[in-house]
Amino acid sequence: MNEMREDKGLAFFGRVTASVSHEMNNVLAIVNELAGLVNDLLYGLKQGDDNGLERLGQAAEGIQKQIRRGEEIVKRMNRFAHSVDDPISEFDLHVVIADMAAMAQRRAALKGVRFETMLCQEPIMITGVRFEIQRLAFAGFELASSALAGGGTVSIASRRLENLAEISITAAAWKENGDVLKMKSELSADMRRLNGTLFWELGTAINFPLVLSFPIALSVEKRGQ
């Protein structure tokens, strides 16, 4: 059982790393393109063409925007990498949701899916295995993007109910197929191992949300089972 969990963890780490590296490559490619434009505009200015001043300012703003984007990507990756430092820690569920939604967005975009987070204002502090919660949230977002027929927007919300925390994932229409059912079954089993539950009624007239529910405080013993 532990070997299976380690395999899933490594596969998850690989998917996230690939997504982050691809996003960083996009940032670098855009910066490189803008830097080339800046060089061209500077050459034109040296030749007495003042029409390039406005475009030069726009290119500089574009570079700064990409630098800020790159900094945010690196911050997310650092948080993700350090999530394996301590087996049990206290963390804000909202940070996990925001990071995992951002990291799952690139793969979802290939299916025409966009994530939209609508989190409650107050932090939801969890004491447990951060890496596992990240993996389950990421799996939930990938499941939702796979089940959204024809693409569209997936809305992600959160709430606390006494000793439980919930991640609620909704969309206009779900599509049921073999791959989706397999992903749902695997995620449901993983949730149970952390004393949590997955609730999702596919194939109904009303499109029920996909809900991941788990205790605010996860036990150390549960992780070792």
Side-chain angles (χ1 to χ4, degrees), residues 3-14:
E3 290 182 359
M4 181 184 299
R5 187 173 304 171
E6 289 176 2
D7 287 344
K8 288 184 176 181
L10 286 173
F12 163 57
F13 201 94

Side-chain angles (χ1 to χ4, degrees), residues 55-68:
R55 293 184 64 198
L56 184 61
Q58 293 172 347
E61 288 178 4
I63 291 175
Q64 291 176 339
K65 179 181 177 180
Q66 292 304 315
I67 289 174
R68 291 192 295 270

Side-chain angles (χ1 to χ4, degrees), residues 169-209:
I169 307 169
T170 59
W174 300 120
K175 181 179 180 181
E176 182 176 328
N177 57 47
D179 289 339
V180 168
L181 292 176
K182 180 180 178 182
M183 293 172 69
K184 176 188 175 185
S185 177
E186 291 179 353
L187 179 54
S188 181
D190 286 342
M191 289 294 297
R192 286 195 299 271
R193 279 191 283 273
L194 281 181
N195 205 26
T197 59
L198 180 152
F199 178 75
W200 197 26
E201 292 192 14
L202 283 167
T204 59
I206 301 175
N207 295 304
F208 285 95

Side-chain angles (χ1 to χ4, degrees), residues 38-50:
V38 167
N39 285 331
D40 291 341
L41 293 172
L42 287 174
Y43 177 79
L45 290 173
K46 289 179 181 179
Q47 303 304 312
D49 181 10
D50 294 335

